[in-house]
Amino acid sequence: MTGPQSAANEARELTLYTRPGCHLCEEMKAKIGPLAARYHFAVRERNIDEDAALFERFHQEIPVLFLGERKIAKYFLDLAQFEKQLAEAAGS
């Protein structure tokens, strides 16, 4: 699907790039879950160890969180800023 509807759906998806055994990844995942549910965003977790291209791109940056195609957090999550970004995206 392309066009405005596809862009709207993509903007309502969070993608968290992680790897097993990453304590920062687990912390970020625990923080985003409740807010994503409140604002009705889907959360997709991607293990960078399962994809060579993702590993090459993110191996020094995990956890990294995207809202649609926009990177919104790396390593740590500012909850107030994150909630503001979700509220803005939910309103569009």
Side-chain angles (χ1 to χ4, degrees):
M1 182 186 323
T2 60
Q5 186 64 32
S6 177
N9 288 341
E10 182 178 293
R12 298 196 61 88
E13 181 175 87
L14 295 160
T15 304
L16 178 62
Y17 294 94
T18 69
R19 74 168 6 133
C22 170
H23 73 280
L24 293 177
C25 299
E26 294 302 319
E27 288 174 17
M28 188 176 288
K29 186 170 35 172
K31 289 179 179 180
I32 66 174
L35 288 175
R38 181 185 315 159
Y39 289 97
H40 308 288
F41 282 78
V43 179
R44 182 173 61 154
E45 188 174 347
R46 302 284 311 270
N47 177 353
I48 66 166
D49 289 341
E50 294 176 348
D51 183 309
L54 291 178
F55 180 82
E56 183 65 30
R57 182 175 177 194
F58 296 118
H59 74 280
Q60 296 293 328
E61 291 194 336
I62 61 163
V64 63
L65 180 64
F66 279 74
L67 174 58
E69 292 190 20
R70 185 171 48 118
K71 184 189 302 184
I72 61 170
K74 179 171 69 170
Y75 307 130
F76 302 99
L77 187 65
D78 177 330
L79 284 176
Q81 181 65 27
F82 178 57
E83 188 164 11
K84 179 180 174 188
Q85 290 170 316
L86 289 182
E88 288 171 357
S92 52

